[in-house]
Structures are given as structure tokens and as C-alpha cells.
Amino acid sequence: MDLLHEPLVSPRTGVEMAANRFNGYTDYGVGIGLRVPHYDHILSKKPVVDWFEIISENYMVDGGRPLKILDQILDQYRVVQHGVSMYFGSAQPLNRDHLKRIKELTKRTKTPWLSDHLCWGSVDGRYTHDLLPLPYTFEAIRTTAERVRMVQDYLEIPVAVENVSSYAEYHDSEMTEWEFLNEVVHTADCGILLDVNNIYVSSQNHNFDPMEYVNSIPAGRVAQIHIAGHSKFEKYTLDTHDHPVLDPVWRLYARAFERCGPTATLLEWDDNIPSFEEVHGEALKANRFLLATESSAIPAEISQLEEAHG
């Protein structure tokens, strides 16, 4: 038996911990995204924060204020890198210069794992700067998993792929989104950044049961979880990241937490960004599920959410 790869169980609560090889065997708590409007507050007030997530591309530069700020953050806080332009599902070859710059940044940040999106967004060297959904086909599994493996091998740290929110479907798809995600991570032998807000948004746009999605994910591969706010319009639901987390997303988070155990959780708030205290306070609401786990009360937390939602 390889004890290094056995599940970690908290001696205090008996709960299986989500520290695994896909997040570098770390036990991170609740973090928030490092955003420009909060720089001054963080550096002057030095608030207690479990960790910050950075968008890798914002710091893949040779110098200047971004790296100066980042180095000051790294002196005091743990940082995890999250990318937005790897485009694992694109058919073109990987951008070697992009990978080289990311690897240089991982050495600077000492990020325990790196995440990016399960999507495509570039053709013939042209970038859409959008996270476009993939067709859920066996061919796409093969090509996407191969690219993820190449990136993971080159970076020499664990990689977690994030499910994206989507607003269109392909007629050629041969399986559900969660079946596709499961096959990709198994074939690539990588982790999952489980975005429960994206699951909810896509479920509303494509009429599937979001709880079935969460229940189908291989819990042992979940390296991190994202929560965020969304906006519902007459004909579609949009992943806006511009207000607090809504109750249906908290319910999915509660179930994910129940299945995965205490897992590094990140609140995304990227538009109409309020004060640091408000963003951090919203993120810390996730801690109620840790407390519920310790008292075996997660079902009660879910029931309270359902009652509040009506």
C-alpha cells in the first residue's frame, strides 16, 4: 500500500481531507482573488486571509508594478495561480513562450498547483479572449487530455482544469458535460477546479440537474472549488461575478463540500468590486460548511438554504 496516496483523514473530526496530489497535498482554506482595487488595503492593513488566487497572465511580465505588488503579497500570503488563456481544448500546438513564462512565474509564486479552463479560444494563432465550450466527444477528450498532460509534465506541478459556464451546445456531443470532464481528467491524470457557480449557470441555460453534475464528479480529484455570483435574465443566466453568491450555488457548494471534504475554496468577484471587507466577508461564509462538517450538520445547512430559498 502506498501511504503517500492514501486519503488524509483529520484526526480531530474523522473527516477525509481534500489535501491530495492534485493540490500538492496542501490544506488551504478560503481565499479570494487578488484584485487591483484592494492592493492598498491589503498592503497597509495586512488582513488575515488564508490565500490569494492570482490570474497568471496579469503577472507574466518582465517587471513593473504588477511584479512589485506580487512580491510584497508573497512575503506575507500564500498564492495560487489561475490561468485564462491556456485553452486546453484548442487544436493548435501549445504556445511554448506562454508556457515558459508561466513556469517562470510558478517558481516565483511557489504555487502548489495551477488551474486553467476546460475550453478552447484560439485558432491559427488568433485569440478570442473568451472561454468557449468544447464539443463533448471522444476525439475532444483525446486531444484535450494530451495537451493537459503536456502542460503538467512541462510545469512539473499539478494542473487542475475548471468547468466553464456555457451558453451554446454542440449537436455532435456524445455525452454529458460531467461525463466529458470525468473522462478528460482521468485520461490526463489531472485535477479538477470545480466551479459550482458555472455548473448552476450552465444547468439553467441547458436544462440539466446541477446536483447530478456535482454527484457525478470524482471527489478525490477535486483540488479546488470556485464560488461566485451570477445574473438571471429572461432567456438565459450569465456568469457575471458581480455580486454575492446566491442560494442555489451555496446548495451545490454544500453538496460538493459534503462529498469532497474541506477543500480550498475561492470566491470570484470581478466586476462592480466592493470593499475588501465585503468581498472577504462573503468568501468566509464558506466556513459554515467546515463547522457543519465538524458537527455532522451539513444536511441541516442544506435544509436551511432550501427553506431560505423558498
Side-chain angles (χ1 to χ4, degrees):
M1 179 181 295
D2 185 355
L3 295 179
L4 288 176
H5 293 83
E6 285 298 294
L8 302 180
V9 177
S10 168
R12 180 165 58 90
T13 66
V15 175
E16 184 176 318
M17 305 298 289
N20 54 47
R21 65 187 176 95
F22 304 107
N23 55 29
Y25 295 102
T26 56
D27 184 16
Y28 282 19
V30 178
I32 63 174
L34 183 63
R35 299 295 181 261
V36 173
H38 297 154
Y39 281 175
D40 290 342
H41 178 92
I42 296 167
L43 296 176
S44 62
K45 303 296 184 181
K46 298 178 174 55
V48 177
V49 182
D50 289 344
W51 58 286
F52 285 104
E53 184 183 81
I54 65 167
I55 303 300
S56 297
E57 287 78 0
N58 291 341
Y59 302 91
M60 290 164 52
V61 293
D62 296 326
R65 185 168 185 257
L67 287 184
K68 182 179 179 181
I69 295 293
L70 178 59
D71 286 340
Q72 290 177 278
I73 295 294
L74 288 168
D75 283 342
Q76 303 174 58
Y77 298 100
R78 301 181 293 192
V79 164
V80 175
Q81 287 180 220
H82 178 55
V84 295
S85 59
M86 192 74 74
Y87 300 138
F88 289 124
S90 289
Q92 66 188 52
L94 292 165
N95 185 322
R96 291 293 176 178
D97 181 65
H98 184 80
L99 280 176
K100 180 181 178 182
R101 285 179 173 271
I102 286 183
K103 189 166 186 175
E104 290 171 352
L105 188 60
T106 64
K107 292 178 179 178
R108 191 181 203 116
T109 65
K110 296 181 174 57
T111 181
W113 72 92
L114 176 142
S115 61
D116 209 310
H117 299 81
L118 188 59
C119 70
W120 69 279
S122 59
V123 177
D124 296 331
R126 296 185 178 184
Y127 292 83
T128 65
H129 301 292
D130 206 347
L131 308 174
L132 303 175
L134 290 162
Y136 306 135
T137 65
F138 289 102
E139 181 181 5
I141 290 169
R142 179 181 58 79
T143 57
T144 302
E146 181 180 10
R147 289 166 64 88
V148 175
R149 274 188 174 273
M150 291 172 64
V151 169
Q152 194 162 239
D153 290 346
Y154 178 79
L155 296 181
E156 300 179 292
I157 59 173
V159 168
V161 296
E162 177 183 355
N163 56 291
V164 299
S165 57
S166 64
Y167 310 92
E169 295 180 292
Y170 294 89
H171 293 299
D172 291 341
S173 288
E174 300 168 337
M175 64 196 78
T176 65
E177 180 184 337
W178 52 94
E179 289 170 334
F180 178 78
L181 172 61
N182 292 352
E183 288 295 329
V184 168
V185 299
H186 174 75
T187 305
D189 193 24
C190 69
I192 296 172
L193 195 176
L194 189 65
D195 191 315
V196 291
N197 183 62
N198 286 351
I199 290 175
Y200 182 77
V201 167
S202 295
S203 76
Q204 297 303 291
N205 292 330
H206 305 315
N207 195 30
F208 63 78
D209 180 1
M211 199 62 75
E212 181 180 357
Y213 194 133
V214 173
N215 286 334
S216 300
I217 293 300
R221 287 188 179 271
V222 176
Q224 180 185 339
I225 299 175
H226 271 177
I227 51 178
H230 62 265
S231 298
K232 190 169 183 62
F233 298 93
E234 182 178 353
K235 294 184 177 181
Y236 61 91
T237 301
L238 188 64
D239 181 31
T240 50
H241 296 186
D242 62 354
H243 55 72
V245 181
L246 299 179
D247 285 348
V249 177
W250 281 124
R251 286 203 298 275
L252 293 177
Y253 177 73
R255 178 55 181 152
F257 199 96
E258 187 177 35
R259 293 196 63 232
C260 301
T263 303
T265 298
L266 190 285
L267 170 70
E268 297 183 291
W269 200 319
D270 300 315
D271 201 3
N272 296 325
I273 300 175
S275 68
F276 175 89
E277 291 91 341
E278 183 173 344
V279 173
H280 194 210
E282 181 67 15
L284 291 177
K285 290 178 182 178
N287 278 331
R288 60 183 160 169
F289 299 102
L290 175 60
L291 297 174
T293 299
E294 293 174 349
S295 62
S296 301
I298 277 188
E301 283 287 342
I302 297 175
S303 295
Q304 290 178 16
L305 283 170
E306 289 175 345
E307 290 175 5
H309 193 61

